[in-house]
Each structure stands twice: as structure tokens, then as C-alpha cells.
């Protein structure tokens, strides 16, 4: 479970990238975070995962504050960044193993999971290659395998579908559904509204650092399409501003 | 032409923060003053060195040779710098794909990068040449010709050495791009270049003697070593249009020819070096799933980062290479070194006298080489964009920083200890001296590692385009190198105050041991917080 309470992130003392947002993402939930470029999605995600310090509010991971207990919180989470800037000098298998070492995953478990996900994403025979030789999509696959290899309770992904081939997108969605059934929490940002519409139990729309709409898919869109609602909210907000 | 200026502007803004819109309200004065102070300090040191030379040369009526000596010295250093910097700036720049995708010629891209490299080389050269020109000016009449010719010399002198350096870098990159293990071959070739320069430095007396025997006078001698040096010093003495035109032709023509021919093969080399085992298909063996504790895994990651970056190995491990070379030299040619040193300072020193101080001399070598090996001063910067992955890991910042210090020690301490053992066996050292040297071999590299880390935490460069920018051009490595040299010289110098006794050494060891603990505590308390706040 992720609880975001009155969270604000201010850059350089004046630029309020995220402004007092409140969100709760429950266990067994797939939650999509939607917004324009620069709306505050990545800032929120980076703050949840503990790589960005923030000034106001708090973020609780299964009841523990990421500020006060960063290590305990991080142990329960996995993060897939929007731009997979991985350790380029490592091979894919070395990188995934490195991440597993950090999460202290036993040998048999990691072997089983790495082989399973490498098979799913069809990169088993590329694991010995250096990451620097991979395309964006391949790097993204490595980042996802590394994130899943330690079987996290909470999976946080920033634009996970960007650069992936259709089969990989389908496979990730299946994995996300399965994790959700197992009672795990999935929080991701996306620009692909169709995916959010079909996959998520709840959704939040963020604009200029503020949550403009949050709720279950039915609550947010009613009988309309999510795309239409998003565009209408966007227009409405722009007029109000 | 407009395109060229835009590209130069973009290239320079990457490295020098020029043309950048101020985003922060904070005053950047501190950022400017500190480098100026450091550069001034360095130039003062070079000036003192030049003054010492001038004091010897002036009574002999050879003050004009001063400039030639400094031009040659700077040229050698510039060639070496050019060979290493060109590998990063020309061949490993991260913006290659972007630039080659733009509707501009390959020649233009190559030219921009050469201009960028020349600018850095010019700044580097100025640190040596400005003090020598000022010292020369103290002994000679300063007029308009002197000033104009000096400026011309400072501007033009990096061109030829940089071209030579680039060609060497070009050859190294070209050869290594043909091999499967490109980086390994690059390390071997770059290290060989360093060893060749070291060999020449150690044997310079023999080489100079040989040239001197075959040269009619000192001008011919310098002309044989580096002809533009003669032209530069002649122009400073008295302006001559013919010599000025010859000098311009000598400097500018090779540059034009180099850019013309270099740009033909540039794209091919860049393309080849980008091909990294794409078609390799292998089965993962069971031993690939070996489990490591987080701390060991972090160290393994840092070691991998170190050993896969030729420029990182060569630049930060320079002290270690010198340590090995100096120890081998000391063991195999002890009498020759004593005689050479004795001749150099023109004071009769017997090998017996030196033997009395041999442990102390070696300990000073350990001190100097430890301080000159600053691996950690680049380690935070080398995280680059990966810093976000590192920060997202469920390990404390303390462990991440400790891994960096331990990696530095794992690389440096074994090399120093092996040198120690060779030295102990060759010179049959007493047990107390062995103990002190071994302690020094542990305490000083640790100090250097922690200090480097603190400096890099204060001056990180996470947005570099290549490893070269971090290792050779960043503020962090510059401060670490200068402070290491100063501290090393002071620490080594003090040890001789109490003659043959070891009291000062013991005090120093205790002092640095305490300093290691205190600085590490600082890293844990403040450094960890700084690390957590870092972002790209």
C-alpha cells in the first residue's frame, strides 16, 4: 500500500513541481498516473521510490515513511525508470544479478525468476551481452526483469510501455494483472490512455502538480472514454488557470 | 558559418557552463573564485620552478633557452593529454548519434570537436606557459613585441602537440576498434604510451647527451627536439616576418591537413567502436547466478566500472604505475639513481648515506604515490545518470560510499604492498621500518580515497558526455590532484626533519589514521546526505 499525504516537491525554493497531493494506492490495485509532460508524474514517482528528497508532506510504504525508513521501504519496492539508464558496462545478467544481490535474493529463486522472465521477454540468449549494445526496448526489458526478479510487493513504473514491442507490452500487462491478483500494488505513469483504461482499477489525473481527478475508472470517466475525459479536464483546467 | 558557431556554442556549453541561462538564484561567485585560486596556485608553483631554472640559466647567458625548455616540456605534456583526451572527446562522446543525425558534414563535426579539444589544451598549456613567460619577462626587456609574441605563442603552441596527441589517440582507438576486447586493447595501448613517456623521462639524460653530442650548439639542440620552440623564442626576442609566417604555416597547415584527412576516417572509427557483440547468443551458465552480499556486489560493480574505462584506469591509476616503475628502478638501478640525483643537484652523495635513509625515502614514495592515486575523486561523477538506480537500491548511502572507498583501496593497496615486499627483500629492511611502511601503505591510500570521495561529493559532474570529461576535466579531479600533490609533498618533506629517527613518521601515521577516522565519520554523517540529494 502506498499513502501519499500532502506531498509537495519544490525545486530551487520556488518552482512547485507537485503541490499538496494526496493519494492512496491499495494492495491488489493497479493504479495509473496520467498527465502531460512536466505535470509532476516523474517527480512523484521518484519521491515515492526515495531517490528524490521532498520538502512537504510524507509518503508511506506499507505504513512506513520513505523519509524515515528509506531502506525498509525500498526493500518492498521495485522501480522501472522512464529512461532505462542502466549500468552500460555490465552485461544484462550481471546487472540483474547485481540488483538481486542488493535485495538479497537467494540463488534458486533468482535463477528461476530470471529464466522465467527472460523467456517471457525473449531475451534469454542476450543476457550475456553488454547493456551498452542494447536498444532502448531491450534495456527496458532488462530493467523490468531486474525489477521483477526480487518479487517486490510494490511495483512502480515510469512510462513502462515506451519503446517496447507489442508482445512485450502484452506480456507486461499480463504480469501486472497476475501481480494484482496476488495482492501486490502496482503504480505506474503512462501517456497511453487505452492501456490505463483497460488495465487499471483506479486512476489519477495530474496537471501542473495538482491532482485534478482521482477514483475508480467508472468514477473518473463514467460513460465517456478516458481520453475524452482527460482532454476535457485539461481544457477546463487551462481555462480556470 | 552560423551552423558552425551554433555547434561550437552547444559543444562548449556542455563542458564549461558558458552561455547557460542562470537557473539558480545562488551566486556563482564561489564557483568561479575557487578554480581561479587553484589555477593561480598551480601557476605560482610553475613560476617558482621557472624562476629556479632562470637563476641557473641567466648567469650563463642562456636565459633565452628558458622559454624553449618550457615550450618543449609543455608540448610533451600536451601530447600526452591530447592522446587521452582525444579518445574521450573525439571517439566516445555521447552526443555522436545526435550530431551525425543532423544535416551537417562529418568534417564539421570533426572540426567542432577539434576546436573543443584545442580550447581545453590551450587552457592547460596556459598554466605552464604564462608563468614561464612572466619569469622570462623579469630578466628581459618587456616591450610590445614581447607581449604580442607571447600571446601568439600561448595561442599557437598547443596546436602541433594536440594534433600529434590526437593522431596517437586516433591510432589507439583505430587499433582497439578492430579487436573484440576493445577496452582491454585500449588500456594496453594507452598504458604503453605512458610507459614510453616514463622511459624517455627516466633516460632523458642519455637522450639529451646523444642529441647534444650531435648538435653544434644549444639552438640546434632545441631545433632538433622541437623546431617551433626556436621560432617562438626568436619571435619573442625580436620580431621577424619570415619566421612569423613560417611559424603560422607550421602550426596552421598541419591542423588543416589533419582535419581534412581525419574527418574521412572519423565516422568509420566511431561506427566501429559502437559495435559491441550484437550478434552474440549464449546460454547462461549456472555459475552466473552466484549470490553476493550487497556490500560485495557494490564493490564488484565499482571494480567493473573501473576496469572497463581505459581513461579512468590510466589517469587515476597514474600514481600506481609510477610506484611500480620507481620501485623497480630503485631495486634494479639503485647506484645509478643515486649518482644521477647527485649529479642533478651537484652535491656529492654516497650510496651509503642514501642507504641510511632508504626506508624513509621509500616511505615518502609511498606517501606521494598514494596521494597521487585519486580513484574516488571520479567515482560519484562516473555514476552519471545511473545515480538514480543506485539511489533506488535498498542499501544505505553509507554502504554505497564505503564500496567506493574499499574499491579504491582494493585497487591501490595490493599494488603498493607488492612494491613494499620487493623493496623489503631487495634492501633487507629492519622490522620496525617494515611495520611503518606497511602501516603507511594502508593509512595513506585510505586517506586519499576518503578525501577524493569528499571532493567528488562536493563537486559532482553527473551530466558528462564521456568518462574523459570526468576523469581529466572535472573540478573534482583537479582539486584532488592539486591537494594530493600539496599534501603529499608536505607530508613527505616533514618526515626528514628528525633525520634518521622515526618519531615524525609515527606522529604522521597516528595523525593520518585519526584523520581517516574523522573524515570517514564526516562522509557517513554529511557525505551520505549529500549523496542522497544528488540528482542528474
Amino acid at each position: 500500500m502506498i499513502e501519499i499525504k500532502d506531498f509537495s516537491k519544490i525545486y530551487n525554493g520556488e518552482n512547485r513541481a507537485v503541490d499538496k497531493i494526496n493519494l492512496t494506492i491499495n494492495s491488489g490495485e493497479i493504479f495509473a498516473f496520467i498527465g502531460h509532460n512536466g505535470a509532476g508524474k516523474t517527480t512523484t514517482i521518484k519521491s515515492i521510490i526515495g531517490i528524490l528528497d521532498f520538502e512537504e508532506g510524507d509518503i508511506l510504504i506499507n505504513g512506513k515513511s520513505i523519509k524515515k525508513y528509506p531502506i525498509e521501504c525500498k526493500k518492498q519496492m521495485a522501480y522501472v525508470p522512464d529512461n532505462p539508464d542502466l549500468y552500460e558496462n555490465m552485461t544484462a545478467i550481471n546487472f540483474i544479478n547485481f540488483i538481486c544481490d542488493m535485495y538479497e535474493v537467494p540463488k534458486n529463486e533468482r535463477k528461476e525468476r530470471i529464466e522465467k522472465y527472460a523467456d517471457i521477454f525473449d531475451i534469454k540468449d542476450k543476457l550475456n551481452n553488454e547493456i551498452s549494445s542494447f536498444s532502448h526496448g531491450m534495456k527496458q526489458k532488462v530493467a523490468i526483469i531486474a525489477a521483477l526478479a526480487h518479487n517486490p510487493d510494490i511495483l512502480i513504473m515510469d512510462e513502462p510501455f515506451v519503446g517496447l514491442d507489442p508482445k512485450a507490452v502484452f506480456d507486461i500487462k499480463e504480469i501486472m494483472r497476475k501481480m494484482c491478483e496476488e495482492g501486490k500494488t502496482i503504480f505506474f505513469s503512462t501517456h497511453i490512455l487505452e492501456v490505463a483504461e483497460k488495465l487499471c482499477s483506479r486512476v489519477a489525473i495530474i496537471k501542473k502538480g495538482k491532482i485534478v481527478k482521482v477514483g475508480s475508472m467508472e468514477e473518473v470517466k463514467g460513460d465517456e472514454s478516458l481520453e475524452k475525459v482527460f482532454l476535457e479536464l485539461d481544457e477546463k483546467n487551462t481555462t480556470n488557470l | 558559418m552560423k551552423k558552425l558557431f551554433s555547434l561550437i556554442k552547444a559543444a562548449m556549453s556542455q563542458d564549461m557552463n558558458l552561455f547557460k541561462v542562470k537557473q539558480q538564484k545562488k551566486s556563482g561567485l564561489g564557483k568561479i573564485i575557487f578554480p581561479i585560486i587553484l589555477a593561480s596556485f598551480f601557476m605560482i608553483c610553475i613560476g617558482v620552478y621557472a624562476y629556479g631554472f632562470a637563476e641557473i640559466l641567466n648567469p650563463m647567458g642562456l636565459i633565452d633557452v628558458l622559454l624553449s625548455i618550457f615550450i618543449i616540456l609543455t608540448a610533451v605534456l600536451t601530447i600526452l593529454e591530447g592522446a587521452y583526451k582525444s579518445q574521450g572527446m573525439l571517439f566516445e562522446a555521447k552526443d555522436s548519434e545526435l550530431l551525425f543525425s543532423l544535416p551537417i558534414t562529418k568534417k564539421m563535426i570533426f572540426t567542432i570537436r577539434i576546436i573543443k579539444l584545442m580550447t581545453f589544451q590551450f587552457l592547460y598549456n596556459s598554466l605552464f606557459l604564462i608563468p614561464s613567460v612572466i619569469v622570462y619577462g623579469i630578466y628581459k626587456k618587456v616591450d610590445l613585441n614581447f607581449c604580442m609574441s607571447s600571446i601568439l605563442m600561448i595561442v599557437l603552441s598547443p596546436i602541433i602537440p594536440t594534433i600529434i596527441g590526437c593522431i596517437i589517440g586516433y591510432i589507439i582507438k583505430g587499433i582497439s576498434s578492430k579487436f573484440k576486447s576493445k577496452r582491454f586493447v585500449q588500456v594496453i595501448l594507452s598504458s604503453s604510451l605512458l610507459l614510453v613517456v616514463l622511459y624517455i623521462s627516466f633516460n632523458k639524460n642519455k637522450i639529451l647527451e646523444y642529441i647534444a653530442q650531435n648538435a653544434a650548439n644549444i639552438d640546434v639542440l632545441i631545433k632538433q627536439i622541437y623546431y617551433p620552440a626556436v621560432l617562438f623564442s626568436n619571435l619573442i626576442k625580436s620580431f621577424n616576418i619570415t619566421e612569423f609566417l613560417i611559424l603560422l604555416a607550421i602550426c596552421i597547415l598541419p591542423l588543416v591537413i589533419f582535419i581534412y584527412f581525419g574527418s574521412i576516417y572519423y565516422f568509420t572509427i566511431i561506427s566501429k567502436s559502437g559495435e559491441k557483440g550484437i550478434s552474440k547468443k549464449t546460454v547462461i551458465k549456472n555459475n552466473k547466478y552466484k549470490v553476493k552480499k550487497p556490500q560485495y556486489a557494490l564493490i564488484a560493480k565499482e571494480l567493473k566500472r573501473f576496469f572497463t574505462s581505459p581513461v579512468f584506469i590510466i589517469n587515476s591509476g597514474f600514481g600506481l604505475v609510477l610506484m611500480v616503475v620507481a620501485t623497480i628502478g630503485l631495486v634494479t638501478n639503485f647506484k645509478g639513481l643515486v649518482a644521477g640525483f647527485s649529479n642533478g643537484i651537484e652535491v656529492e652523495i654516497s650510496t651509503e648515506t642514501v642507504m641510511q635513509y632508504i626506508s624513509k625515502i621509500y616511505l615518502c614514495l609511498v606517501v606521494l604515490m598514494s596521494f597521487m592515486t585519486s580513484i574516488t575523486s571520479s567515482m560519484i561523477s562516473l555514476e552519471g545518470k545511473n545515480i538514480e538506480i543506485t539511489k533506488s537500491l535498498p542499501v544505505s548511502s553509507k554502504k554505497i560510499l564505503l564500496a567506493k572507498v574499499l574499491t579504491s583501496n582494493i585497487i591501490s593497496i595490493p599494488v603498493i604492498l607488492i612494491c613494499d615486499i620487493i623493496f623489503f627483500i631487495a634492501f633487507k629492511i629492519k622490522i620496525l621500518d617494515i611495520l611503518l611502511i606497511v602501516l603507511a601503505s594502508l593509512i595513506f591510500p585510505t586517506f586519499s580515497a576518503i578525501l577524493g570521495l569528499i571532493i567528488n561529493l562536493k563537486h559532482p559532474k553527473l551530466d558528462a558526455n564521456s568518462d574523459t570529461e570526468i576523469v581529466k576535466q572535472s573540478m573534482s579531479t583537479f582539486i584532488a590532484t592539486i591537494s594530493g600533490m600539496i599534501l603529499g609533498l608536505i607530508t613527505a618533506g616533514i618526515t626528514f626533519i628528525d633525520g634518521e629517527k622515526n618519531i615524525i613518521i609515527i606522529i604522521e601515521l597516528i595523525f593520518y589514521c585519526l584523520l581517516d577516522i574523522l573524515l570517514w565519520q564526516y562522509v557517513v554523517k554529511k557525505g551520505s546526505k549529500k549523496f542522497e540529494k544528488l540528482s542528474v
Side-chain angles (χ1 to χ4, degrees):
Chain A
M1 185 182 184
I2 306 168
E3 292 166 88
I4 303 172
K5 295 178 173 176
D6 293 325
F7 161 68
S8 295
K9 172 68 197 168
I10 305 152
Y11 287 108
N12 301 326
E14 56 183 26
N15 180 13
R16 217 167 246 273
V18 182
D19 192 9
K20 286 196 184 299
I21 69 166
N22 285 285
L23 278 177
T24 302
I25 301 109
N26 299 307
S27 302
E29 201 169 56
I30 302 178
F31 193 100
F33 206 35
I34 301 166
H36 277 292
N37 295 329
K41 302 188 299 292
T42 301
T43 299
T44 309
I45 284 178
K46 283 183 179 177
S47 302
I48 295 173
I49 206 75
I51 55 179
L52 204 60
D53 198 16
F54 51 91
E55 292 73 24
E56 292 171 16
D58 206 352
I59 295 170
L60 306 181
I61 306 298
N62 287 335
K64 282 191 172 176
S65 164
I66 185 75
K67 269 191 161 180
K68 287 179 190 160
Y69 307 99
I71 308 298
E72 286 89 334
C73 290
K74 284 177 187 176
K75 276 184 181 170
Q76 300 174 66
M77 292 189 281
Y79 168 56
V80 179
D82 57 341
N83 201 356
D85 289 314
L86 312 178
Y87 301 125
E88 301 266 318
N89 57 319
M90 285 187 182
T91 61
I93 186 68
N94 284 347
F95 175 75
I96 301 167
N97 256 322
F98 169 73
I99 299 292
C100 287
D101 286 332
M102 293 297 118
Y103 287 88
E104 296 171 81
V105 183
K107 186 178 176 177
N108 289 340
E109 280 182 35
R110 76 170 68 176
K111 184 175 184 281
E112 188 192 316
R113 286 187 207 130
I114 294 170
E115 284 180 355
K116 179 181 143 190
Y117 292 118
D119 256 344
I120 291 174
F121 290 115
D122 202 21
I123 62 162
K124 205 171 174 181
D125 56 358
K126 304 268 187 350
L127 289 180
N128 261 333
N129 289 10
E130 242 183 50
I131 290 171
S132 58
S133 69
F134 287 172
S135 66
H136 178 96
M138 290 281 284
K139 285 180 190 170
Q140 187 80 344
K141 286 178 183 179
V142 174
I144 292 168
I145 296 172
L148 297 170
H150 60 90
N151 197 23
D153 274 346
I154 298 167
L155 179 61
I156 293 167
M157 297 185 281
D158 198 357
E159 300 288 353
F161 307 111
V162 174
L164 288 179
D165 56 70
K167 188 191 171 289
V169 173
F170 173 80
D171 290 330
I172 291 185
K173 287 194 280 189
E174 284 304 301
I175 291 165
M176 286 161 81
R177 282 196 188 101
K178 209 170 171 211
M179 285 179 78
C180 177
E181 284 165 17
E182 288 168 8
K184 296 182 175 186
T185 311
I186 297 148
F187 181 87
F188 72 102
S189 70
T190 186
H191 285 122
I192 310 167
L193 301 179
E194 281 174 8
V195 173
E197 199 167 355
K198 285 178 186 163
L199 192 68
C200 302
S201 21
R202 286 204 306 143
V203 63
I205 300 172
I206 184 168
K207 178 154 172 84
K208 293 193 174 172
K210 288 184 176 176
I211 301 286
V212 289
K213 193 114 185 178
V214 63
S216 67
M217 203 51 77
E218 290 72 31
E219 285 167 352
V220 170
K221 73 184 184 81
D223 294 331
E224 308 278 0
S225 74
L226 187 60
E227 189 181 32
K228 200 176 173 190
V229 175
F230 179 75
L231 293 173
E232 275 174 8
L233 276 170
D234 189 41
E235 204 173 299
K236 196 174 147 189
N237 258 278
T238 313
T239 322
N240 289 345
L241 288 165
Chain B
M1 208 59 178
K2 202 178 168 189
K3 266 186 193 173
L4 183 68
F5 281 122
S6 298
L7 286 161
I8 291 170
K9 195 175 152 184
M12 291 301 178
S13 65
Q14 285 281 330
D15 300 294
M16 297 181 177
N17 291 341
L18 293 177
F19 319 109
K20 255 190 181 174
V21 180
K22 272 193 181 175
Q23 286 180 335
Q24 290 183 336
K25 275 190 170 179
K26 258 193 246 172
S27 161
L29 207 62
K31 283 183 184 173
I32 301 165
I33 289 173
F34 194 57
I36 290 173
I37 292 171
L38 272 177
S40 308
F41 181 80
F42 187 80
M43 284 162 89
I44 289 167
C45 290
I46 298 293
V48 170
Y49 192 61
Y51 190 77
F53 256 104
E55 282 291 283
I56 299 166
L57 293 169
N58 195 38
M60 295 155 71
L62 290 171
I63 190 68
D64 294 332
V65 179
L66 178 78
L67 281 181
S68 304
I69 290 171
F70 268 82
I71 292 168
I72 293 167
L73 177 80
T74 312
V76 173
L77 292 171
T78 311
I79 290 172
L80 208 57
E81 280 289 304
Y84 295 136
K85 273 187 189 157
S86 63
Q87 289 178 48
M89 277 195 183
L90 298 182
F91 309 112
E92 287 163 11
K94 284 179 186 166
D95 58 352
S96 285
E97 284 187 10
L98 173 72
L99 290 182
F100 281 113
S101 73
L102 297 175
I104 47 175
T105 59
K106 289 164 194 166
K107 197 185 282 176
M108 191 182 273
I109 298 171
F110 190 64
T111 309
I112 295 151
R113 290 190 169 161
I114 292 290
I115 290 171
K116 187 174 160 183
L117 182 62
M118 286 287 179
T119 311
F120 279 104
Q121 296 287 69
F122 162 74
L123 292 172
Y124 181 72
N125 263 23
S126 304
L127 292 175
F128 294 89
L129 292 180
I130 291 174
S132 59
V133 167
I134 293 170
V135 170
Y136 182 81
I138 294 170
Y139 291 88
K140 283 278 178 172
K141 195 183 84 180
V142 177
D143 54 14
L144 186 67
N145 173 55
F146 175 84
C147 296
M148 296 300 286
S149 302
S150 300
I151 292 167
L152 187 78
M153 179 187 84
I154 291 166
V155 172
L156 291 179
S157 66
I159 297 177
I160 295 174
T162 304
I163 293 170
I164 297 169
C166 281
I167 292 168
I168 296 168
Y170 209 99
I171 292 166
I172 291 173
K173 193 71 193 174
I175 294 171
S176 61
S177 70
K178 292 189 193 307
F179 288 85
K180 207 175 169 187
S181 309
K182 296 177 184 68
R183 288 199 196 110
F184 179 71
V185 177
Q186 212 176 329
V187 171
I188 297 292
L189 292 174
S190 304
S191 308
S192 310
L193 173 68
L194 187 67
L195 289 172
V196 167
V197 173
L198 283 175
Y199 175 80
I200 292 170
S201 307
F202 278 109
N203 292 285
K204 67 177 185 305
N205 287 344
K206 281 183 198 168
I207 295 164
L208 286 175
E209 264 174 39
Y210 173 78
I211 297 169
Q213 278 166 7
N214 295 288
N217 57 46
I218 198 118
D219 271 352
V220 179
L221 174 77
I222 292 165
K223 199 172 171 178
Q224 282 187 358
I225 300 169
Y226 187 53
Y227 180 57
V230 178
L231 293 175
F232 280 127
S233 56
N234 284 353
L235 276 176
I236 284 175
K237 277 185 268 178
S238 62
F239 187 80
N240 178 322
I241 188 74
T242 318
E243 282 186 329
F244 172 72
L245 289 174
I246 293 171
L247 183 65
L248 269 188
I250 285 176
C251 291
I252 305 295
L253 270 179
L255 181 66
V256 174
I257 294 166
F258 178 67
I259 289 174
Y260 180 77
F261 286 104
S263 57
I264 296 172
Y265 302 104
Y266 185 53
F267 183 66
T268 316
I269 288 183
I270 293 242
S271 305
K272 280 207 170 179
S273 62
E275 295 165 8
K276 290 170 185 169
I278 287 162
S279 60
K280 197 168 76 179
K281 283 189 177 184
T282 46
V283 178
I284 302 293
K285 288 177 189 163
N286 203 33
N287 63 4
K288 282 276 179 183
Y289 296 103
K290 201 178 166 188
V291 177
K292 288 191 200 92
K293 283 185 176 172
Q295 190 69 71
Y296 296 139
L298 283 166
I299 293 169
K301 178 209 131 200
E302 296 296 347
L303 284 170
K304 179 92 181 157
R305 184 73 182 89
F306 179 80
F307 286 110
T308 49
S309 175
V311 69
F312 190 17
I313 297 174
I314 291 156
N315 212 59
S316 50
F318 183 70
L320 296 176
V321 177
L322 277 180
M323 178 84 205
V324 174
V325 172
T327 309
I328 292 170
L330 202 63
V331 169
T332 56
N333 189 24
F334 175 62
K335 285 182 181 170
L337 280 177
V338 174
F341 183 70
S342 193
N343 285 340
I345 59 167
E346 291 176 357
V347 176
E348 190 78 20
I349 302 172
S350 66
T351 48
E352 288 75 25
T353 314
V354 179
M355 273 306 285
Q356 286 178 325
Y357 292 95
I358 195 71
S359 297
K360 216 167 231 191
I361 292 167
Y362 181 79
L363 195 134
C364 289
L365 188 68
V366 172
V367 171
L368 286 169
M369 297 310 140
S370 301
F371 284 162
M372 278 176 75
T373 306
S374 186
I375 296 167
T376 47
S377 61
S378 309
M379 278 182 155
I380 303 280
S381 302
L382 284 168
E383 288 273 349
K385 287 178 182 170
N386 297 147
I387 194 124
E388 297 204 334
I389 304 175
T390 313
K391 280 168 70 184
S392 74
L393 298 172
V395 285
S396 62
S397 304
K398 180 186 157 189
K399 273 191 181 173
I400 295 167
L401 298 176
L402 179 64
K404 292 181 191 298
V405 173
L406 290 177
T407 304
S408 172
N409 280 354
I410 286 168
I411 295 162
S412 57
I413 291 177
V415 177
I416 298 173
L417 286 177
I418 290 168
C419 291
D420 290 354
I421 293 166
I422 295 169
F423 172 75
F424 297 153
I425 295 168
F427 288 93
K428 297 184 180 74
I429 303 299
K430 283 185 276 178
I431 193 78
L432 176 68
D433 291 341
I434 289 177
L435 185 71
L436 292 174
I437 289 170
V438 169
L439 280 173
S441 305
L442 300 173
I443 291 168
F444 291 115
T446 307
F447 173 78
S448 175
I450 302 172
L451 184 70
L453 191 67
I454 292 171
I455 294 169
N456 203 193
L457 279 165
K458 289 228 179 226
H459 300 276
K461 186 173 174 59
L462 298 167
D463 58 350
N465 266 329
S466 66
D467 288 0
T468 311
E469 274 182 33
I470 295 166
V471 177
K472 294 194 89 64
Q473 288 152 230
S474 69
M475 177 58 72
S476 175
T477 49
F478 180 64
I479 297 171
T481 310
I482 300 289
S483 56
M485 275 166 66
I486 297 165
L487 281 172
L489 286 170
I490 294 169
T491 312
I494 289 173
T495 54
F496 288 96
I497 289 175
D498 61 349
E500 284 179 60
K501 290 176 194 161
N502 286 323
I503 298 162
I504 300 278
I505 291 174
I506 293 167
I507 293 168
E508 279 186 338
L509 286 173
I510 295 168
F511 174 74
Y512 274 99
C513 190
L514 288 171
L515 215 53
D516 282 356
I517 297 165
L518 287 172
L519 286 181
W520 178 246
Q521 287 307 314
Y522 175 82
V523 170
V524 172
K525 284 178 187 163
K526 306 261 175 157
S528 298
K529 281 182 186 155
K530 269 191 182 296
F531 181 78
E532 281 156 21
K533 284 191 192 299
L534 290 178
S535 62
V536 184

